[in-house]
Amino acid sequence: MTGNRRKLPGADGRPLKGYAPLAALAVVFVLVIALLPSSAPAGVADGDAVEVAAGQTATGWGETVTACPDRQLQVEGDGYSPPCFEFSGDNGGATTRGVTADEITVSFRVIEEPNLISVFASSAGLDYDESNEDLARTVEGLVDYFNDRYQMYGRRLTFERIAGTGSLVSEVYGAGQAEANSDAIAAATEVEAFADVSALSQPYADALARQHVMNFGAPFLSREWFVERRPYSWSLFTDCTVIGETGTEYALNRLLGRPAEWAGGDLQGQDRRVALIAPDNPEYQQCVAASEEVIREGGEELDLVLDYNLNIANLAPQASTLLARLRDADITTVSCTCDPLMVLYLTQEAESQGYQPEWQVLGTGFTDLDLVGQAYAQGLSGDQWSRAFGLSYFAEQQPFRESAGYRAYSEVRDDQPSQLVDILYYQLQALVIGIQMAGPNLTPETFETGMFAYPGGAGSAGTWDFFPEHYSPQVDAREVWFDTEGESGFNGEPGTYASNGTRYRQGEWPEGEPEVFP
């Protein structure tokens, strides 16, 4: 794909405001998972998705499904809403496992262990006290919201909890596949789920795909990983192939061949020498390869490419070793597609050694969110993050109570949702978009076809579109820098990712100096 890249569709570059707090960090570490090598699940779709016109359902169009005569969007005022459809007639009854004439079963795995945010929070001095039950309760409320507003052709989502035997901690660091398999079998055979919206680790997402359960949440995995598991695996989070290709396009057009203006000390003003750091698992290395291909096509080479092992016990020692390599190579600009703890350790190590490089933000592991940036900008990291700039696939953060997920939950429940409400909201929205676009004959295959016919949208989580080989929604990004003195819209604390609001799709980044730190 890198040699002949398709220009991603979606809305034209435009200012976008109001990205709700995906910054709730309970899944930060889940989103940067250590991946286990695996083959494609048996029974994954072999052929191309059936093509239908954009804006039409995959099944029933012109027979039982027609466009609404009174409005264009299913949910007016929602930038991600699919087109509005009217339905009459027979929905086909039980079309696939988890789908009856009346219900679509959606599962959510609840694990009896502390939220993984505690790892990052304890290291960064942050407080977090939400339980996994808080997440499940929030999903349950959001299911009610979408049932009342989306066209599901006579059916409603039913929410089922799974008492998980797996451990996200184990799964994040490359183990726990057997337990993940057991939980996925429970989703498929005991709950008989059509879809699961808690697939926030590679082992669990992979196990669900093997059981032919639609799954949502696989974190920042490669394009190849999603294609091998089609039509079952989808995610809210940008695939790392897009991140790698876009990040290197940005480097070619905005960074390389120019002085390191925002580095400090002896590095300031030197010709940029860029290092790329990524975890050593196969999926992330596929994305590193995509990045290097884009750089070579542009007639350049990265100055240094490093990897590390996603082992929580060894992150700090590895950070020390990585910093030594960066200093020995006189790297001016560090481009780290890393988990948030590794970035924390790297910046702390750099500060202790008086090393002052630029830090290129790439939008991985939620490192482009205000709350995470604030953690880097305080304490042992000194002023390292005052030199951070690059890309974010999300938009400017807004106060928590003004977010799309919070507003939706508040329409159906009187209690307070999880801080993760927006992650859960957008995860469910992707599911119900596919259900509505599939039409009455809902199967995994018609779901995929419907998603590819979704005309896209723009709103508080960036510009969305789905199409072949693109199983995560974001198709554009904004240029950002971390303003250590600016006030965050999310929590009112000092430190926020600022930008001029303009967004660019892959293949459209202009050449010229970065428009950062005005």
Side-chain angles (χ1 to χ4, degrees):
M1 289 295 296
T2 56
N4 183 22
R5 288 177 293 146
R6 168 182 173 176
K7 184 168 73 174
L8 301 184
D12 292 32
R14 67 188 69 177
L16 286 178
K17 296 183 178 179
Y19 141 65
L22 295 173
L25 294 173
V27 295
V28 164
F29 271 109
V30 187
L31 305 176
V32 288
I33 182 163
L35 301 166
L36 299 175
S38 57
S39 58
V44 171
D46 295 323
D48 294 333
V50 177
E51 292 188 6
V52 298
Q56 294 188 4
T57 63
T59 63
W61 186 260
E63 301 172 1
T64 58
V65 181
T66 57
C68 294
D70 59 337
R71 65 186 191 276
Q72 182 179 358
L73 296 179
Q74 182 68 31
V75 181
E76 293 183 323
D78 183 344
Y80 300 117
S81 172
C84 182
F85 301 132
E86 290 189 343
F87 168 71
S88 62
D90 184 2
N91 65 13
T95 57
T96 190
R97 183 182 58 203
V99 179
T100 70
D102 305 311
E103 298 180 340
I104 303 167
T105 302
V106 177
S107 61
F108 187 92
R109 183 172 66 153
V110 180
I111 297 176
E112 295 298 326
E113 67 176 8
N115 234 302
L116 289 177
I117 181 53
S118 60
V119 179
F120 184 80
S122 62
S123 299
L126 303 174
D127 292 326
Y128 184 84
D129 60 1
E130 288 193 335
S131 69
N132 292 318
E133 177 61 30
D134 290 326
L135 305 182
R137 173 179 54 80
T138 300
V139 172
E140 192 169 37
L142 292 172
V143 163
D144 292 341
Y145 171 85
F146 285 113
N147 274 334
D148 290 343
R149 286 157 181 81
Y150 272 66
Q151 175 61 267
M152 300 187 201
Y153 311 101
R155 305 182 178 102
R156 293 177 64 83
L157 301 179
T158 59
F159 179 73
E160 296 286 346
R161 289 175 172 83
I162 295 173
T165 62
S167 164
L168 286 177
V169 174
S170 296
E171 292 169 17
V172 161
Y173 295 107
Q177 186 68 66
E179 291 80 6
N181 290 343
S182 177
D183 292 344
I185 290 171
T189 62
E190 297 176 19
V191 174
E192 296 188 343
F194 171 73
D196 186 285
V197 292
S198 59
L200 296 172
S201 76
Q202 185 270 344
Y204 188 47
D206 190 58
L208 288 165
R210 291 180 183 280
Q211 295 298 321
H212 298 177
V213 177
M214 306 295 292
N215 56 90
F216 294 79
F220 300 113
L221 304 186
S222 67
R223 176 183 299 149
E224 291 91 338
W225 189 91
F226 285 102
V227 171
E228 287 173 358
R229 287 151 185 82
R230 61 177 290 260
Y232 299 106
S233 294
W234 303 77
S235 183
L236 167 65
F237 311 111
T238 312
D239 77 59
C240 68
T241 306
V242 170
I243 290 172
E245 292 177 346
T246 304
T248 46
E249 177 191 339
Y250 177 84
L252 282 168
N253 293 351
R254 312 284 265 181
L255 302 182
L256 297 178
R258 295 181 169 85
E261 180 178 351
W262 297 287
D266 295 340
L267 299 177
Q268 187 173 34
Q270 294 188 23
D271 289 342
R272 280 195 177 93
R273 292 180 294 278
V274 179
L276 176 63
I277 305 175
D280 63 3
N281 61 67
E283 299 295 333
Y284 279 118
Q285 289 302 306
Q286 287 176 334
C287 299
V288 169
S291 301
E292 292 186 286
E293 179 64 19
V294 173
I295 287 286
R296 283 192 293 269
E297 288 177 359
E300 299 282 354
E301 292 287 340
L302 293 169
D303 295 276
L304 187 64
V305 179
L306 301 174
D307 60 50
Y308 71 97
N309 184 254
L310 274 171
N311 182 331
I312 190 170
N314 292 325
L315 288 180
Q318 289 183 91
S320 180
T321 301
L322 291 170
L323 249 294
R325 295 284 304 277
L326 296 172
R327 296 198 70 173
D328 288 346
D330 291 325
I331 295 300
T332 67
T333 308
V334 181
S335 180
C336 194
T337 58
C338 304
D339 69 271
L341 254 189
M342 175 54 79
V343 176
L344 183 67
Y345 290 141
L346 284 172
T347 53
Q348 291 176 350
E349 188 72 25
E351 186 68 13
S352 70
Q353 297 186 24
Y355 177 53
Q356 302 179 53
E358 300 172 327
W359 297 92
Q360 184 186 356
V361 178
L362 291 173
T364 57
F366 285 174
T367 55
D368 57 336
L369 298 181
D370 286 358
L371 194 59
V372 181
Q374 289 167 4
Y376 300 151
Q378 66 185 8
L380 298 178
S381 296
D383 67 349
Q384 291 290 326
W385 218 240
S386 68
R387 298 187 296 277
F389 66 96
L391 305 176
S392 175
Y393 292 86
F394 300 113
E396 179 183 351
Q397 291 189 251
Q398 295 292 297
F400 175 59
R401 293 175 184 273
E402 296 178 14
S403 76
Y406 186 93
R407 293 196 308 269
Y409 187 88
S410 298
E411 289 188 27
V412 294
R413 296 289 176 94
D414 293 330
D415 59 341
Q416 290 296 301
S418 162
Q419 294 179 54
L420 281 172
V421 63
D422 269 25
I423 292 175
L424 303 171
Y425 171 82
Y426 289 122
Q427 195 106 303
L428 275 169
Q429 187 167 35
L431 169 64
V432 296
I433 285 172
I435 290 172
Q436 178 159 333
M437 296 302 301
N441 183 25
L442 176 61
T443 68
E445 292 73 22
T446 62
F447 182 97
E448 180 188 57
T449 300
M451 286 290 259
F452 294 164
Y454 169 60
S460 58
T463 305
W464 282 19
D465 200 5
F466 297 92
F467 47 88
E469 300 191 0
H470 194 76
Y471 291 81
S472 60
Q474 290 86 2
V475 296
D476 65 2
R478 61 184 180 128
E479 187 173 47
V480 299
W481 66 94
F482 194 75
D483 181 357
T484 58
E485 298 181 356
E487 181 178 301
S488 170
F490 173 65
N491 59 11
E493 296 294 326
T496 186
Y497 283 99
S499 77
N500 65 15
T502 303
R503 303 182 69 93
Y504 298 100
R505 291 174 288 176
Q506 188 178 344
E508 296 184 350
W509 279 93
E511 295 186 6
E513 295 286 345
E515 297 178 10
V516 297
F517 304 112

